[in-house]
Amino acid sequence: DAGVTQSPTHLIKTRGQHVTLRCSPISGHKSVSWYQQVLGQGPQFIFQYYEKEERGRGNFPDRFSARQFPNYSSELNVNALLLGDSALYLCASSLARVQGQRNQPQHFGDGTRLSIL
Amino acid sequence: SQQGEEDPQALSIQEGENATMNCSYKTSINNLQWYRQNSGRGLVHLILIRSNEREKHSGRLRVTLDTSKKSSSLLITASRAADTASYFCATGALTSGGYNKLIFGAGTRLAVHP
């Protein structure tokens, strides 16, 4: 079975531009989460989606938005890019749904490396 | 903000030696997970230990959890050059909507030399 796939793998943008990153979860996984990993640090939670609705949001500005589609794929959008948005953006999918299923691992894609010039 | 802190930040050993990495966290948890990340790649789930478990094994991996000390350790026995990677601990937490998110530490960079 295919794992979590993300596109594009690399992206170079300039300050002020916007970007859309895409993620396809593992077949059967309805939960998708997005994380930002700045070089040398651990990933930080951005969003969690389940059944096309936002179920959680990390401490990120409103420039960051996301959505999930009926096929459970997801997009992360970032507007008005700043130099500090340069990072590896990771998507993860999981079977986890509600509190009773919280002990589920998350399966990560290889990420999109976003560089802001 | 990061929940946990790994110790050491970097570890360099020879093949065949054991590698031990430690993780401390701040708040109560439902579970603690360890992930590996090869350079420039995504994270690979290694092992999940629930808050009511004290030790768990998976192949050459052994994870312990001490909730009274809010700490966990990952032991890799008989290390191999292919184990070279960054290792992260992550605590499972609930979002405001009652769903799952992970809070990661800064990771331990392990280098295993042939």
Side-chain angles (χ1 to χ4, degrees):
Chain A
D1 286 341
V4 176
T5 58
Q6 292 187 245
S7 63
T9 55
H10 294 84
L11 203 51
I12 299 174
K13 292 286 189 179
T14 57
R15 283 177 294 176
Q17 287 187 312
H18 70 272
V19 68
T20 297
L21 310 181
R22 295 177 175 83
C23 171
S24 293
I26 291 173
S27 178
H29 287 191
K30 299 181 179 181
S31 172
V32 170
S33 298
W34 287 94
Y35 292 82
Q36 181 197 63
Q37 186 179 22
V38 173
L39 194 63
Q41 297 183 19
Q44 288 207 339
F45 172 75
I46 310 176
F47 286 110
Q48 199 270 340
Y49 275 78
Y50 180 79
E51 289 285 9
K52 303 183 292 295
E53 291 195 19
E54 181 184 306
R55 307 291 184 171
R57 183 187 183 111
N59 188 25
F60 281 81
D62 291 343
R63 299 184 296 108
F64 289 76
S65 64
R67 55 180 176 168
Q68 187 178 31
F69 299 99
N71 66 352
Y72 305 111
S73 66
S74 178
E75 284 183 354
L76 174 69
N77 296 285
V78 187
N79 293 325
L81 288 166
L82 303 174
L83 291 178
D85 295 331
S86 295
L88 180 67
Y89 288 84
L90 295 162
C91 174
S93 74
S94 165
L95 284 170
R97 178 170 65 110
V98 295
Q99 292 187 26
Q101 296 180 341
R102 57 190 171 215
N103 290 315
Q104 290 283 344
Q106 295 199 17
H107 302 270
F108 286 82
D110 280 340
T112 294
R113 173 73 62 187
L114 177 62
S115 299
I116 311 302
L117 303 179
Chain B
S1 60
Q2 310 258 295
Q3 155 80 305
E5 292 187 5
E6 281 94 339
D7 171 54
Q9 292 184 337
L11 183 60
S12 182
I13 60 175
Q14 298 296 124
E15 263 191 331
E17 294 181 340
N18 295 340
T20 299
M21 288 159 269
N22 303 296
C23 167
S24 60
Y25 57 92
K26 299 173 185 175
T27 62
S28 61
I29 60 172
N30 300 319
N31 64 72
L32 187 143
Q33 304 180 35
W34 285 89
Y35 287 81
R36 183 187 74 223
Q37 185 178 38
N38 290 352
S39 180
R41 302 295 300 274
L43 283 80
V44 175
H45 180 261
L46 295 177
I47 198 163
L48 181 152
I49 186 166
R50 302 182 184 198
S51 58
N52 61 353
E53 297 176 314
R54 292 296 169 260
E55 188 171 310
K56 204 161 183 181
H57 297 255
S58 177
R60 294 184 295 113
L61 306 180
R62 181 173 77 97
V63 168
T64 62
L65 179 64
D66 187 335
T67 53
S68 67
K69 296 181 179 178
K70 291 186 169 58
S71 67
S72 175
S73 67
L74 170 67
L75 168 67
I76 304 174
T77 59
S79 62
R80 306 166 182 168
D83 295 327
T84 295
S86 291
Y87 291 81
F88 295 91
C89 70
T91 52
L94 293 179
T95 67
S96 58
Y99 288 76
N100 301 291
K101 67 177 179 181
L102 293 174
I103 304 176
F104 287 88
T108 293
R109 294 184 305 279
L110 173 66
V112 181
H113 302 284

mmCIF file of all heavy atoms in Angstrom, chain A residues 40-64:
data_model
loop_
_atom_site.group_PDB
_atom_site.id
_atom_site.type_symbol
_atom_site.label_atom_id
_atom_site.label_comp_id
_atom_site.label_asym_id
_atom_site.label_seq_id
_atom_site.Cartn_x
_atom_site.Cartn_y
_atom_site.Cartn_z
ATOM 1 N N GLY A 40 16.786 21.834 12.375
ATOM 2 C CA GLY A 40 17.399 21.647 13.690
ATOM 3 C C GLY A 40 16.417 21.515 14.830
ATOM 4 O O GLY A 40 16.830 21.369 15.988
ATOM 5 N N GLN A 41 15.127 21.557 14.534
ATOM 6 C CA GLN A 41 14.109 21.462 15.576
ATOM 7 C C GLN A 41 13.154 20.299 15.296
ATOM 8 O O GLN A 41 13.169 19.713 14.219
ATOM 9 C CB GLN A 41 13.315 22.770 15.665
ATOM 10 C CG GLN A 41 14.154 23.975 16.060
ATOM 11 C CD GLN A 41 13.311 25.220 16.208
ATOM 12 O OE1 GLN A 41 12.098 25.156 16.354
ATOM 13 N NE2 GLN A 41 13.955 26.378 16.192
ATOM 14 N N GLY A 42 12.335 19.986 16.268
ATOM 15 C CA GLY A 42 11.309 18.979 16.075
ATOM 16 C C GLY A 42 10.094 19.577 15.380
ATOM 17 O O GLY A 42 9.921 20.800 15.356
ATOM 18 N N PRO A 43 9.262 18.745 14.800
ATOM 19 C CA PRO A 43 8.054 19.240 14.125
ATOM 20 C C PRO A 43 7.103 19.931 15.103
ATOM 21 O O PRO A 43 7.000 19.525 16.270
ATOM 22 C CB PRO A 43 7.418 17.968 13.559
ATOM 23 C CG PRO A 43 8.534 16.978 13.479
ATOM 24 C CD PRO A 43 9.425 17.290 14.644
ATOM 25 N N GLN A 44 6.416 20.950 14.588
ATOM 26 C CA GLN A 44 5.403 21.650 15.381
ATOM 27 C C GLN A 44 4.052 21.509 14.709
ATOM 28 O O GLN A 44 3.929 21.708 13.496
ATOM 29 C CB GLN A 44 5.778 23.125 15.541
ATOM 30 C CG GLN A 44 6.949 23.353 16.479
ATOM 31 C CD GLN A 44 6.901 24.728 17.124
ATOM 32 O OE1 GLN A 44 6.251 25.622 16.615
ATOM 33 N NE2 GLN A 44 7.575 24.880 18.247
ATOM 34 N N PHE A 45 3.052 21.214 15.514
ATOM 35 C CA PHE A 45 1.700 20.976 15.025
ATOM 36 C C PHE A 45 1.083 22.246 14.462
ATOM 37 O O PHE A 45 1.113 23.299 15.108
ATOM 38 C CB PHE A 45 0.855 20.439 16.183
ATOM 39 C CG PHE A 45 -0.607 20.310 15.893
ATOM 40 C CD1 PHE A 45 -1.080 19.285 15.095
ATOM 41 C CD2 PHE A 45 -1.512 21.217 16.430
ATOM 42 C CE1 PHE A 45 -2.442 19.158 14.837
ATOM 43 C CE2 PHE A 45 -2.864 21.106 16.179
ATOM 44 C CZ PHE A 45 -3.334 20.069 15.381
ATOM 45 N N ILE A 46 0.504 22.116 13.248
ATOM 46 C CA ILE A 46 -0.177 23.257 12.630
ATOM 47 C C ILE A 46 -1.688 23.041 12.619
ATOM 48 O O ILE A 46 -2.453 23.870 13.121
ATOM 49 C CB ILE A 46 0.299 23.493 11.178
ATOM 50 C CG1 ILE A 46 1.815 23.545 11.078
ATOM 51 C CG2 ILE A 46 -0.287 24.823 10.661
ATOM 52 C CD1 ILE A 46 2.318 23.671 9.628
ATOM 53 N N PHE A 47 -2.125 21.948 11.994
ATOM 54 C CA PHE A 47 -3.560 21.672 11.855
ATOM 55 C C PHE A 47 -3.826 20.180 11.955
ATOM 56 O O PHE A 47 -2.961 19.355 11.664
ATOM 57 C CB PHE A 47 -4.078 22.089 10.462
ATOM 58 C CG PHE A 47 -4.231 23.550 10.232
ATOM 59 C CD1 PHE A 47 -3.378 24.217 9.375
ATOM 60 C CD2 PHE A 47 -5.243 24.261 10.853
ATOM 61 C CE1 PHE A 47 -3.508 25.575 9.144
ATOM 62 C CE2 PHE A 47 -5.392 25.620 10.631
ATOM 63 C CZ PHE A 47 -4.517 26.276 9.773
ATOM 64 N N GLN A 48 -5.058 19.854 12.347
ATOM 65 C CA GLN A 48 -5.559 18.502 12.273
ATOM 66 C C GLN A 48 -6.953 18.545 11.667
ATOM 67 O O GLN A 48 -7.794 19.338 12.077
ATOM 68 C CB GLN A 48 -5.584 17.841 13.661
ATOM 69 C CG GLN A 48 -5.662 16.333 13.641
ATOM 70 C CD GLN A 48 -7.082 15.790 13.631
ATOM 71 O OE1 GLN A 48 -8.005 16.504 13.997
ATOM 72 N NE2 GLN A 48 -7.243 14.556 13.228
ATOM 73 N N TYR A 49 -7.184 17.682 10.685
ATOM 74 C CA TYR A 49 -8.481 17.595 10.015
ATOM 75 C C TYR A 49 -9.016 16.178 10.093
ATOM 76 O O TYR A 49 -8.267 15.198 10.000
ATOM 77 C CB TYR A 49 -8.369 18.004 8.549
ATOM 78 C CG TYR A 49 -8.475 19.488 8.337
ATOM 79 C CD1 TYR A 49 -7.394 20.316 8.609
ATOM 80 C CD2 TYR A 49 -9.661 20.062 7.911
ATOM 81 C CE1 TYR A 49 -7.499 21.688 8.450
ATOM 82 C CE2 TYR A 49 -9.773 21.436 7.740
ATOM 83 C CZ TYR A 49 -8.683 22.242 8.021
ATOM 84 O OH TYR A 49 -8.793 23.605 7.871
ATOM 85 N N TYR A 50 -10.309 16.096 10.267
ATOM 86 C CA TYR A 50 -10.988 14.810 10.223
ATOM 87 C C TYR A 50 -12.345 15.027 9.578
ATOM 88 O O TYR A 50 -13.071 15.949 9.971
ATOM 89 C CB TYR A 50 -11.152 14.193 11.612
ATOM 90 C CG TYR A 50 -11.848 12.864 11.588
ATOM 91 C CD1 TYR A 50 -11.155 11.709 11.239
ATOM 92 C CD2 TYR A 50 -13.201 12.754 11.890
ATOM 93 C CE1 TYR A 50 -11.793 10.485 11.186
ATOM 94 C CE2 TYR A 50 -13.852 11.536 11.834
ATOM 95 C CZ TYR A 50 -13.144 10.406 11.484
ATOM 96 O OH TYR A 50 -13.776 9.190 11.421
ATOM 97 N N GLU A 51 -12.663 14.183 8.623
ATOM 98 C CA GLU A 51 -13.941 14.293 7.920
ATOM 99 C C GLU A 51 -14.196 15.729 7.439
ATOM 100 O O GLU A 51 -15.279 16.294 7.632
ATOM 101 C CB GLU A 51 -15.096 13.823 8.814
ATOM 102 C CG GLU A 51 -15.111 12.335 9.049
ATOM 103 C CD GLU A 51 -15.602 11.540 7.840
ATOM 104 O OE1 GLU A 51 -15.778 12.130 6.735
ATOM 105 O OE2 GLU A 51 -15.817 10.333 7.955
ATOM 106 N N LYS A 52 -13.165 16.298 6.834
ATOM 107 C CA LYS A 52 -13.238 17.585 6.148
ATOM 108 C C LYS A 52 -13.413 18.772 7.091
ATOM 109 O O LYS A 52 -13.572 19.901 6.624
ATOM 110 C CB LYS A 52 -14.361 17.583 5.101
ATOM 111 C CG LYS A 52 -14.204 16.466 4.084
ATOM 112 C CD LYS A 52 -15.267 16.516 3.011
ATOM 113 C CE LYS A 52 -16.647 16.187 3.554
ATOM 114 N NZ LYS A 52 -16.720 14.792 4.030
ATOM 115 N N GLU A 53 -13.335 18.541 8.368
ATOM 116 C CA GLU A 53 -13.469 19.654 9.300
ATOM 117 C C GLU A 53 -12.199 19.821 10.136
ATOM 118 O O GLU A 53 -11.556 18.838 10.515
ATOM 119 C CB GLU A 53 -14.670 19.436 10.230
ATOM 120 C CG GLU A 53 -16.001 19.550 9.504
ATOM 121 C CD GLU A 53 -17.157 19.689 10.481
ATOM 122 O OE1 GLU A 53 -16.928 20.046 11.644
ATOM 123 O OE2 GLU A 53 -18.298 19.437 10.052
ATOM 124 N N GLU A 54 -11.871 21.076 10.433
ATOM 125 C CA GLU A 54 -10.718 21.361 11.283
ATOM 126 C C GLU A 54 -11.038 20.941 12.711
ATOM 127 O O GLU A 54 -12.029 21.382 13.289
ATOM 128 C CB GLU A 54 -10.388 22.852 11.232
ATOM 129 C CG GLU A 54 -9.177 23.247 12.078
ATOM 130 C CD GLU A 54 -8.948 24.743 12.063
ATOM 131 O OE1 GLU A 54 -8.842 25.320 10.975
ATOM 132 O OE2 GLU A 54 -8.869 25.334 13.169
ATOM 133 N N ARG A 55 -10.173 20.112 13.271
ATOM 134 C CA ARG A 55 -10.383 19.592 14.626
ATOM 135 C C ARG A 55 -9.331 20.092 15.600
ATOM 136 O O ARG A 55 -9.439 19.829 16.790
ATOM 137 C CB ARG A 55 -10.355 18.068 14.614
ATOM 138 C CG ARG A 55 -11.290 17.438 13.607
ATOM 139 C CD ARG A 55 -12.754 17.621 13.951
ATOM 140 N NE ARG A 55 -13.631 16.920 12.999
ATOM 141 C CZ ARG A 55 -14.931 16.778 13.152
ATOM 142 N NH1 ARG A 55 -15.530 17.277 14.229
ATOM 143 N NH2 ARG A 55 -15.631 16.143 12.239
ATOM 144 N N GLY A 56 -8.346 20.796 15.061
ATOM 145 C CA GLY A 56 -7.320 21.323 15.948
ATOM 146 C C GLY A 56 -6.413 22.258 15.183
ATOM 147 O O GLY A 56 -6.192 22.094 13.984
ATOM 148 N N ARG A 57 -5.910 23.260 15.887
ATOM 149 C CA ARG A 57 -5.030 24.240 15.270
ATOM 150 C C ARG A 57 -3.938 24.581 16.256
ATOM 151 O O ARG A 57 -4.200 24.830 17.434
ATOM 152 C CB ARG A 57 -5.824 25.491 14.893
ATOM 153 C CG ARG A 57 -4.988 26.531 14.184
ATOM 154 C CD ARG A 57 -5.744 27.832 13.966
ATOM 155 N NE ARG A 57 -4.921 28.773 13.217
ATOM 156 C CZ ARG A 57 -5.165 29.150 11.968
ATOM 157 N NH1 ARG A 57 -6.232 28.710 11.357
ATOM 158 N NH2 ARG A 57 -4.363 29.979 11.358
ATOM 159 N N GLY A 58 -2.712 24.626 15.763
ATOM 160 C CA GLY A 58 -1.579 25.013 16.590
ATOM 161 C C GLY A 58 -1.420 26.518 16.629
ATOM 162 O O GLY A 58 -2.231 27.272 16.100
ATOM 163 N N ASN A 59 -0.340 26.948 17.223
ATOM 164 C CA ASN A 59 -0.083 28.376 17.416
ATOM 165 C C ASN A 59 0.578 28.977 16.184
ATOM 166 O O ASN A 59 1.763 29.302 16.195
ATOM 167 C CB ASN A 59 0.788 28.582 18.658
ATOM 168 C CG ASN A 59 0.924 30.034 19.018
ATOM 169 O OD1 ASN A 59 0.074 30.841 18.679
ATOM 170 N ND2 ASN A 59 2.002 30.366 19.706
ATOM 171 N N PHE A 60 -0.194 29.093 15.128
ATOM 172 C CA PHE A 60 0.286 29.660 13.876
ATOM 173 C C PHE A 60 -0.643 30.795 13.455
ATOM 174 O O PHE A 60 -1.833 30.762 13.747
ATOM 175 C CB PHE A 60 0.334 28.582 12.786
ATOM 176 C CG PHE A 60 1.532 27.686 12.887
ATOM 177 C CD1 PHE A 60 1.566 26.626 13.778
ATOM 178 C CD2 PHE A 60 2.653 27.921 12.105
ATOM 179 C CE1 PHE A 60 2.673 25.822 13.898
ATOM 180 C CE2 PHE A 60 3.773 27.111 12.205
ATOM 181 C CZ PHE A 60 3.788 26.070 13.107
ATOM 182 N N PRO A 61 -0.095 31.798 12.755
ATOM 183 C CA PRO A 61 -0.924 32.946 12.361
ATOM 184 C C PRO A 61 -1.966 32.564 11.320
ATOM 185 O O PRO A 61 -1.923 31.496 10.717
ATOM 186 C CB PRO A 61 0.104 33.934 11.783
ATOM 187 C CG PRO A 61 1.254 33.093 11.369
ATOM 188 C CD PRO A 61 1.312 31.952 12.335
ATOM 189 N N ASP A 62 -2.898 33.487 11.110
ATOM 190 C CA ASP A 62 -4.000 33.244 10.179
ATOM 191 C C ASP A 62 -3.542 33.140 8.731
ATOM 192 O O ASP A 62 -4.342 32.775 7.860
ATOM 193 C CB ASP A 62 -5.040 34.363 10.306
ATOM 194 C CG ASP A 62 -5.769 34.314 11.628
ATOM 195 O OD1 ASP A 62 -5.693 33.251 12.285
ATOM 196 O OD2 ASP A 62 -6.393 35.309 12.014
ATOM 197 N N ARG A 63 -2.287 33.463 8.482
ATOM 198 C CA ARG A 63 -1.753 33.278 7.127
ATOM 199 C C ARG A 63 -1.743 31.805 6.725
ATOM 200 O O ARG A 63 -1.663 31.479 5.549
ATOM 201 C CB ARG A 63 -0.321 33.817 7.041
ATOM 202 C CG ARG A 63 -0.181 35.298 7.324
ATOM 203 C CD ARG A 63 1.268 35.751 7.106
ATOM 204 N NE ARG A 63 2.220 35.128 8.017
ATOM 205 C CZ ARG A 63 3.107 34.207 7.646
ATOM 206 N NH1 ARG A 63 3.154 33.778 6.392
ATOM 207 N NH2 ARG A 63 3.951 33.692 8.531
ATOM 208 N N PHE A 64 -1.797 30.960 7.727
ATOM 209 C CA PHE A 64 -1.815 29.517 7.491
ATOM 210 C C PHE A 64 -3.264 29.043 7.481
ATOM 211 O O PHE A 64 -4.036 29.364 8.401
ATOM 212 C CB PHE A 64 -1.045 28.774 8.580
ATOM 213 C CG PHE A 64 0.444 28.950 8.517
ATOM 214 C CD1 PHE A 64 1.048 30.122 8.942
ATOM 215 C CD2 PHE A 64 1.251 27.937 8.025
ATOM 216 C CE1 PHE A 64 2.426 30.289 8.878
ATOM 217 C CE2 PHE A 64 2.629 28.086 7.957
ATOM 218 C CZ PHE A 64 3.213 29.259 8.387
#
